[in-house]
Amino acid sequence: MTGMDNIILTGFMGSGKSTVAIRLSYKMKMVLEDTDRRIEKEQEQSIGEIFTRQGEEAFRNMETDCLKSMLEEPEGRILSVGGGIPVREENRRILKQLGMVVYLRIRPDTVYERLKDDTTRPLLQGRGQRERIALLMEERSPHYESLADFIVDVDEQQMEEVLHLIDEAYQAWREEKESAERTQNNEDTCD
Ligand code: S3P
């Protein structure tokens, strides 16, 4: 069985997943889902409140549940997923099933510049932000990279170019997927 047909946007906090997702959903006329927004809506609390009241582990379980439910939903969507999701092996397996995984790769310095005054990311509050970003990035980069079907370096790219690259990659990915499905069907009929 082949996987589902969605575009999944992954990457570190501040890499621009949410903005790219909105713009891409207009450009490609695809419905958009965002795991953070969905969890906030379901829990009727902000991510910050969930971390404070229930703790990070509870939030991570909500993320996994959210991904699992996406497996049961219609495809053809853009799924923007929280920056910590690819850390869990189980999540990586689900993301692979959900569709084409795009990694918006960004340098730690750019993240710092973008998020130094942000108050909505619990993992980046308090002192030592620069070091925390560098450490988390080092820890997570191998997961983001091994998971990705397509990587875009976003630091110096114009938004239009980022959208164009993802669009192109998606068309190529779909052709490959369809061809693999045709081969599979032929093999099944020949058996
Ligand atoms: C997190 C990233 C956040 C949000 C939460 C934890 C992480 O989402 O899920 O604050 O662990 O990297 P964004 O990547 O959309 O900022």
Side-chain angles (χ1 to χ4, degrees):
M1 197 191 84
T2 54
M4 291 173 75
D5 181 352
N6 294 295
I7 300 179
I8 299 120
L9 298 178
T10 65
F12 203 81
M13 292 171 270
S15 58
K17 298 181 294 282
S18 306
T19 316
V20 170
I22 292 169
R23 296 284 304 270
L24 209 55
S25 112
Y26 277 115
K27 182 181 165 78
M28 301 180 68
K29 301 190 173 45
M30 290 165 77
V31 172
L32 159 65
E33 271 289 342
D34 182 310
T35 55
D36 283 341
R37 301 295 82 76
R38 184 146 146 177
I39 290 170
E40 287 183 325
K41 204 165 151 207
E42 279 172 8
Q43 298 293 315
E44 298 179 344
Q45 300 178 79
S46 68
I47 304 286
E49 287 167 336
I50 299 171
F51 267 70
T52 311
R53 294 176 187 159
Q54 283 146 277
E56 180 170 350
E57 189 60 20
F59 174 69
R60 299 301 175 197
N61 292 336
M62 291 171 198
E63 288 186 315
T64 302
D65 288 344
C66 184
L67 292 183
K68 282 183 183 159
S69 60
M70 285 172 163
L71 286 172
E72 309 299 323
E73 295 168 11
E75 47 188 353
R77 300 187 298 175
I78 314 244
L79 311 176
S80 175
V81 308
I85 282 191
V87 175
R88 271 196 187 179
E89 208 261 335
E90 181 179 13
N91 294 349
R92 294 201 293 277
R93 246 183 307 118
I94 301 174
L95 290 177
K96 280 310 243 186
Q97 276 174 268
L98 280 169
M100 178 181 88
V101 181
V102 177
Y103 169 30
L104 303 183
R105 186 163 55 189
I106 189 167
R107 285 198 296 267
D109 283 355
T110 320
V111 173
Y112 177 74
E113 283 311 318
R114 287 187 183 181
L115 297 185
K116 59 178 189 282
D117 300 319
D118 177 85
T119 55
T120 65
R121 271 101 170 168
L123 295 182
L124 299 181
Q125 301 312 300
R127 298 159 74 93
Q129 241 187 26
R130 237 183 229 286
E131 293 70 22
R132 218 144 355 116
I133 291 170
L135 243 155
L136 275 176
M137 189 83 96
E138 199 183 312
E139 222 172 84
R140 292 176 176 187
S141 293
H143 297 309
Y144 290 137
E145 296 198 3
S146 69
L147 178 67
D149 293 297
F150 185 65
I151 301 178
V152 193
D153 286 301
V154 293
D155 294 275
E156 269 105 35
Q157 302 260 31
Q158 297 294 318
M159 176 61 75
E160 281 309 320
E161 184 59 15
V162 171
L163 302 178
H164 173 71
L165 289 170
I166 298 174
D167 188 355
E168 239 180 25
Y170 179 56
Q171 305 314 329
W173 179 85
R174 286 190 76 182
E175 273 171 33
E176 212 173 291
K177 182 174 186 292
E178 278 161 20
S179 140
E181 280 165 1
R182 273 197 301 274
T183 312
Q184 183 65 52
N185 285 341
N186 283 343
E187 278 169 13
D188 290 348
T189 31
C190 289
D191 278 347

